[in-house]
Amino acid sequence: MVVEETCTMHLDRDMDMDMELELELNIDLAMECAPIGRVVKSALLRAQSEARVIVGLSAAINVLSKSPEGSLFCLMAQPKDGDSATHMHEVLLEAFCYENDIYVIKVDDATKLSRILGQDSVESCCLVQKVWADAPEEQLTKAENQLVDYCEAHWDAPQHPIVQLPAV
């Protein structure tokens, strides 16, 4: 099940509403109503600019084995058919993430994930690390807060939706 979720807003508009005000409102709501795939991309790019992204299945497993409490999201692309060893690693990684309260976000395509991250090789997995910034709790960006809400909404679902990433 591949999803491209968006939020909808219904506004009662007064006939005298200024076009400038409408434009400002649309810009402010753009991030809040963005399809979840664009929110994932935004969160990844921001985390990458802050050096908080661990790319690759082996690198993710290595980081998680040392300090799982530092990870916020694990993004996993749909597995390729026929690669049972990689599939087994991914299933174990996913179970480990759930056991350690790390949000798992399944995405539709490893190639798109790799392109968003600027990778030369195709990677099926990445971790987004938390930001602590001298505070007792992690600091989340707006996109990360939206992803947490999205993950919480689907946490108990028997089958997690697959997020459709935007084309790059």
Side-chain angles (χ1 to χ4, degrees):
M1 158 174 68
V2 177
V3 296
E4 183 61 24
E5 293 186 5
T6 59
C7 67
T8 58
M9 292 206 85
H10 301 284
L11 300 173
D12 293 329
R13 294 191 182 166
D14 191 23
M15 295 303 277
D16 297 329
M17 185 174 207
D18 187 15
M19 286 298 283
E20 185 176 318
L21 179 61
E22 187 175 334
L23 180 61
E24 285 178 24
L25 184 60
N26 286 339
I27 290 170
D28 289 341
L29 294 175
M31 187 61 181
E32 289 180 29
C33 295
I36 196 67
R38 289 200 323 239
V39 175
V40 168
K41 180 180 177 182
S42 174
L44 279 174
L45 292 175
R46 171 81 179 266
Q48 188 175 38
S49 73
E50 297 170 353
R52 296 187 293 122
V53 178
I54 309 300
V55 180
L57 186 60
S58 296
I61 290 170
N62 187 35
V63 166
L64 288 172
S65 69
K66 294 176 183 171
S67 61
E69 67 280 351
S71 297
L72 180 61
F73 299 109
C74 179
L75 285 90
M76 303 177 76
Q78 289 200 278
K80 300 256 188 249
D81 291 333
D83 188 359
S84 59
T86 301
H87 178 68
M88 190 181 312
H89 278 98
E90 289 173 347
V91 168
L92 292 172
L93 175 62
E94 184 177 355
F96 183 86
C97 288
Y98 284 122
E99 286 295 317
N100 287 279
D101 295 324
I102 299 166
Y103 296 109
V104 175
I105 300 173
K106 295 185 178 186
V107 298
D108 64 330
D109 187 28
T111 303
K112 287 195 267 185
L113 179 63
S114 298
R115 286 183 181 157
I116 289 170
L117 296 170
Q119 298 294 307
D120 293 330
S121 60
V122 175
E123 299 292 348
S124 64
C125 174
C126 74
L127 288 177
V128 175
Q129 300 294 104
K130 296 176 182 177
V131 175
W132 296 93
D134 300 327
E137 290 190 25
E138 69 265 12
Q139 304 294 310
L140 300 179
T141 65
K142 188 172 185 177
E144 289 170 344
N145 272 318
Q146 288 176 320
L147 289 178
V148 167
D149 290 344
Y150 173 82
C151 291
E152 288 288 335
H154 298 286
W155 187 264
D156 292 325
Q159 184 177 16
H160 290 267
I162 298 166
V163 175
Q164 185 175 354
L165 293 173
V168 180

